[in-house]
Amino acid sequence: MDKRECPFVHYIFVLIIGFIISVILYYTLWESHIYAIHTFLEAVCLFIGASTFLIAWNTADKMFKTNYIIGYGFLSVAIYDAYHAYLFVSQSLAHDIFMDLNMKYWILGRFCEAIVLYLVSLNALNLKLNKWLALTIAMIIPFGTAAIIYEFPWVFPAMITVEGSTLAKGAIEFIIILLIFLSIVNLSKHFDHDSPVSFRHFYMALIIAIPTEMMFIAFSSIYSFNIVYGHVLRVFYYYYIYRSVFVTYVEYPYEKMQLEKIKLEEAYRQLEESKHEILRRQDVLMQQEKLALLGQMGAGIVHETKNYLTTIKGSCQLISLLTKEEGTIKHAKKISKNVDEMDQIISKFLFMARPRDTEFTEVSMCDLLQSLEGLILSTSIVKKVDVCFENSKEERYLLCDEGQINQVILNLCKNAVEAMEGMPSAKLTIETGYDDAANEMYVSVIDNGKGISAADLVRIGTPFFTTKSMGTGLGLYVCNHIIKEHKGRLEVSSELGCGTTFTIKLPCLIEEEEDEDEKEYTNNMLEMSCNI
């Protein structure tokens, strides 16, 4: 039964199917083969009852107390039904001498069923017996009562006479139906669409048991249609009892095992991923140590280079003083100018390489970018990348750490150049602008490289995430951290095969702050002039 299926709809479906089967049996085989059909239907119920008991027997150590009661209770019911089935055939051969005894065993079987179902609905009998002791009790009760009734028939009131059913039979059948109804009421208090599948099967068995018992009460003779319909419904009723136990101890453990298998596979996959991630991070840390060592060595080399540049510049100055040839002087001045540019680039490098605290000062974005032009051009031309600067005419001041912003712009330019490596017509565009509505200056670093996929784009800036084979995954993370410290934003847009745009947006100083700074500067100058 589908866990989400409405039990009422399923119940009506079972009644209709049972009715159709009963009509076919009644009009084709019942009158001519009544004992064979009756024996067959009873045998089916006996088989289902015995199977239910075997599940309980083989899972006794893991059995819930409710299913424990069902398993051993239906063993007792099966013994009564076996007596009933045997005597039903015997009474045809003995001219009805066993009819009342047969009915007594039948009633005892139904009464035992009702008690078992009621105990299960109450979740009663917390005591769980040893399975051999439970087996002994489950067999002694039916065998003992059957033997007593057979030897001393007067101890149990007559169920049927030549005149028909007795009052005692009607009273016991009323008690049976009442117990089943109370069992349904007990279970209905806890029933909903999220109930376990085994619970729903047991509930279905109970609501089928009511019309089953009513069919047996309403029969007029053993040849009536009610007897056929009652036995067919009883097969369905036993089936759902069996399913409630089977699902709990066969299907459910298998499903649970499958779920645990999936969880184990997922845990193993995560373990493997964690292992690879640990190894990758170890490689990243080793690479960082190498880069740190190279950075220290590079800073030392660059510092020594400044000494040689000083010598070259001094030599150029001496040449300009000692010679009067215009051509030589012109070339010496050109060399001196190039040395100054190289010295500026080296100074910028040393400024960024030196560890220091963040220092916020007023800086013009346009001036800041112009100071980086030489360094950007020198690194891009080597990679055969054309560089285009598009500076805004708007002049606004920022409160920022010049060295850190330089670091961010240079890192973005470096990434852009690497993204265009090996591509024809590689072009790097650096654009500045002013957003009047937000009072922000922005710098856009635009390349026409390979671009970034949508899956990778959402992970940009994540520590240790990189698309480069030799990358550390920390460059953009550091850039983003610096921009956030400056109360700005680092935005990125990209399209595969078309290129990528990184945009730095930083808040500008408002005019009132600028005016106050100008006033302070003017006052300081006046004080200095007065002192002079």
Side-chain angles (χ1 to χ4, degrees):
M1 184 172 58
D2 190 349
K3 184 178 177 179
R4 297 165 295 181
E5 188 176 357
C6 176
F8 179 74
V9 174
H10 196 82
Y11 173 64
I12 297 300
F13 176 76
V14 169
L15 293 182
I16 293 172
I17 294 297
F19 182 80
I20 294 171
I21 295 172
S22 301
V23 169
I24 294 172
L25 289 175
Y26 182 74
Y27 288 104
T28 56
L29 300 171
W30 187 248
E31 290 190 8
S32 58
H33 300 85
I34 181 173
Y35 296 102
I37 300 301
H38 178 273
T39 303
F40 171 76
L41 293 174
E42 286 292 339
V44 172
C45 292
L46 285 171
F47 174 78
I48 295 174
S51 300
T52 304
F53 161 72
L54 288 175
I55 293 175
W57 174 262
N58 290 303
T59 57
D61 296 335
K62 305 175 183 64
M63 179 71 67
F64 296 125
K65 57 189 176 184
T66 53
N67 290 340
Y68 195 82
I69 297 169
I70 292 175
Y72 288 91
F74 270 75
L75 174 63
S76 298
V77 174
I79 294 171
Y80 285 123
D81 288 344
Y83 275 117
H84 163 70
Y86 171 75
L87 292 175
F88 189 84
V89 175
S90 299
Q91 73 184 27
S92 66
L93 304 174
H95 306 289
D96 298 340
I97 59 173
F98 293 119
M99 183 176 291
D100 181 60
L101 184 61
N102 175 27
M103 187 57 65
K104 288 177 180 178
Y105 290 143
W106 170 260
I107 290 294
L108 283 172
R110 305 294 66 74
F111 187 70
C112 184
E113 276 180 8
I115 292 174
V116 168
L117 297 177
Y118 184 68
L119 290 174
V120 171
S121 71
L122 289 176
N123 202 19
L125 294 181
N126 291 322
L127 181 63
K128 194 171 179 181
L129 301 176
N130 175 275
K131 68 177 186 177
W132 289 102
L133 179 59
L135 175 64
T136 303
I137 295 172
M139 295 181 69
I140 286 176
I141 292 174
F143 279 124
T145 53
I148 291 170
I149 292 171
Y150 184 80
E151 293 294 334
F152 309 102
W154 51 267
V155 301
F156 199 84
M159 295 289 105
I160 192 167
T161 64
V162 291
E163 297 176 356
S165 299
T166 65
L167 184 61
K169 176 179 178 295
I172 295 174
E173 287 175 332
F174 173 77
I175 294 172
I176 291 171
I177 292 180
L178 179 61
L179 286 173
I180 296 173
F181 178 76
L182 292 175
S183 302
I184 294 173
V185 171
N186 290 335
L187 259 68
S188 297
K189 296 175 183 178
H190 310 288
F191 186 88
D192 55 48
H193 289 284
D194 295 323
S195 300
V197 177
S198 59
F199 182 92
R200 294 167 65 84
H201 283 308
F202 185 73
Y203 184 82
M204 182 61 65
L206 286 177
I207 59 177
I208 294 174
I210 293 288
T212 301
E213 294 301 328
M214 292 179 68
M215 289 300 105
F216 293 133
I217 292 173
F219 82 100
S220 56
S221 71
I222 61 172
Y223 294 98
S224 67
F225 175 77
N226 292 345
I227 292 293
V228 185
Y229 193 26
H231 277 87
V232 171
L233 287 180
R234 188 160 170 264
V235 171
F236 282 102
Y237 152 49
Y238 266 56
Y239 166 76
Y240 283 109
I241 289 289
Y242 168 78
R243 286 287 293 165
S244 69
V245 178
F246 181 84
V247 166
T248 305
Y249 291 99
V250 179
E251 287 186 3
Y252 176 71
Y254 177 77
E255 292 176 0
K256 189 175 181 181
M257 182 179 66
Q258 291 295 103
L259 290 174
E260 292 299 324
K261 178 185 175 184
I262 293 171
K263 289 180 181 178
L264 284 173
E265 289 176 348
E266 179 64 20
Y268 178 77
R269 185 187 65 79
Q270 291 179 357
L271 186 63
E272 285 294 310
E273 288 181 356
S274 299
K275 178 182 175 183
H276 290 306
E277 182 66 16
I278 290 170
L279 292 174
R280 192 184 71 80
R281 291 195 178 191
Q282 287 177 347
D283 292 339
V284 167
L285 290 173
M286 291 177 64
Q287 185 67 16
Q288 281 183 277
E289 291 179 3
K290 290 179 183 178
L291 291 174
L293 180 61
L294 288 174
Q296 292 173 0
M297 293 174 62
I301 293 169
V302 168
H303 185 270
E304 293 299 321
T305 303
K306 283 178 66 69
N307 295 331
Y308 291 108
L309 290 176
T310 303
T311 303
I312 295 169
K313 186 174 178 65
S315 299
C316 289
Q317 291 173 346
L318 285 173
I319 290 171
S320 298
L321 289 173
L322 296 175
T323 186
K324 294 182 180 179
E325 293 183 11
E326 293 295 328
T328 303
I329 294 172
K330 180 180 177 182
H331 288 298
K333 287 182 178 179
K334 188 175 181 180
I335 293 171
S336 181
K337 183 180 178 182
N338 288 337
V339 167
D340 288 338
E341 290 178 356
M342 289 180 65
D343 186 64
Q344 287 181 3
I345 292 171
I346 290 171
S347 297
K348 290 282 184 184
F349 176 82
L350 291 174
F351 179 74
M352 288 187 295
R354 185 167 55 249
R356 58 190 181 82
D357 295 331
T358 303
E359 297 178 0
F360 290 96
T361 56
E362 288 185 27
V363 180
S364 166
M365 179 64 82
C366 296
D367 293 344
L368 186 147
L369 195 62
Q370 285 176 0
S371 68
L372 291 174
E373 284 186 10
L375 193 56
I376 294 171
L377 285 169
S378 63
T379 55
S380 302
I381 291 173
V382 176
K383 299 289 186 177
K384 298 180 181 179
V385 175
D386 293 332
V387 183
C388 175
F389 291 93
E390 298 181 1
N391 292 331
S392 170
K393 295 180 180 179
E394 293 283 348
E395 183 70 19
R396 292 290 186 277
Y397 283 87
L398 313 170
L399 192 63
C400 66
D401 187 307
E402 184 178 353
Q404 289 186 351
I405 299 301
N406 285 346
Q407 178 184 346
V408 172
I409 294 173
L410 288 174
N411 191 75
L412 294 178
C413 291
K414 170 179 164 291
N415 289 345
V417 170
E418 290 177 351
M420 296 184 288
E421 189 172 357
M423 299 188 69
S425 305
K427 183 178 180 181
L428 173 64
T429 303
I430 301 168
E431 176 186 330
T432 62
Y434 174 68
D435 183 354
D436 186 45
N439 190 34
E440 293 177 335
M441 287 294 291
Y442 65 85
V443 180
S444 294
V445 179
I446 307 166
D447 68 68
N448 60 348
K450 57 188 178 181
I452 305 170
S453 68
D456 291 338
L457 199 60
V458 296
R459 301 181 64 188
I460 286 294
T462 304
F464 301 106
F465 173 74
T466 180
T467 56
K468 303 174 188 176
S469 58
M470 297 298 291
T472 63
L474 292 172
L476 285 176
Y477 171 74
V478 172
C479 291
N480 193 38
H481 181 71
I482 290 173
I483 297 302
K484 283 183 177 179
E485 278 193 341
H486 285 74
K487 299 180 181 179
R489 305 187 306 281
L490 181 60
E491 299 177 352
V492 57
S493 60
S494 184
E495 186 176 347
L496 281 175
C498 296
T500 304
T501 300
F502 280 92
T503 302
I504 303 167
K505 293 186 176 182
L506 294 170
C508 300
L509 289 170
I510 58 176
E511 293 183 359
E512 291 180 1
E513 292 178 352
E514 293 178 4
D515 292 341
E516 288 177 3
D517 292 335
E518 288 178 3
K519 287 177 181 178
E520 186 179 350
Y521 175 76
T522 304
N523 292 333
N524 291 335
M525 293 300 294
L526 286 171
E527 289 178 4
M528 290 175 63
S529 61
C530 290
N531 292 332
I532 293 171

